[in-house]
């Protein structure tokens, strides 16, 4: 898979998650993909201060990204 295909797959995953975050006043954006294995995202809006953001990252964001791009090993929220 090329870097462009990987990026498109990660963006598809974020687009799948976005409506759930939007419903709570939040959003998410892709910051970077490093070494074709590590994704950095930024939780935005209401998600930045939400006490459930760690759960959201693991259960929602990371799981969905790995569904679209199984080679991804880590997903990290950067501030």
């Amino acid at each position: 898979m090329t870097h462009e295909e990987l990026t498109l797959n990660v963006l598809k995953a974020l687009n799948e998650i976005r409506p759930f975050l939007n419903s709570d006043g939040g959003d998410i954006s892709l910051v970077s993909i490093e070494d074709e294995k590590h994704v950095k995202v930024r939780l935005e809006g209401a998600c930045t201060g939400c006490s459930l953001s760690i759960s959201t990252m693991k259960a929602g964001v990371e799981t969905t990204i790995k569904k679209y791009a199984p080679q991804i090993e880590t997903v990290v929220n950067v501030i």
Side-chain angles (χ1 to χ4, degrees):
M1 179 179 294
T2 68
H3 185 75
E4 291 76 23
E5 290 170 325
L6 179 59
T7 301
L8 284 174
N9 282 351
V10 170
L11 290 172
K12 285 179 194 172
L14 297 184
N15 285 334
E16 183 178 311
I17 299 160
R18 189 165 280 116
F20 300 103
L21 299 175
N22 290 164
S23 69
D24 289 328
D27 205 350
I28 191 165
S29 61
L30 176 62
V31 175
S32 65
I33 300 173
E34 298 173 0
D35 302 324
E36 311 297 315
K37 296 179 193 168
H38 309 286
V39 174
K40 290 184 179 179
V41 297
R42 181 172 290 120
L43 289 171
E44 301 168 344
C47 293
T48 56
C50 177
S51 60
L52 297 175
S53 63
I54 293 170
S55 300
T56 300
M57 281 298 298
K58 280 305 219 191
V61 177
E62 188 171 302
T63 302
T64 305
I65 287 175
K66 287 181 176 181
K67 180 175 80 174
Y68 283 86
Q71 70 271 43
I72 297 300
E73 295 175 4
T74 61
V75 179
V76 179
N77 179 41
V78 294
I79 299 171

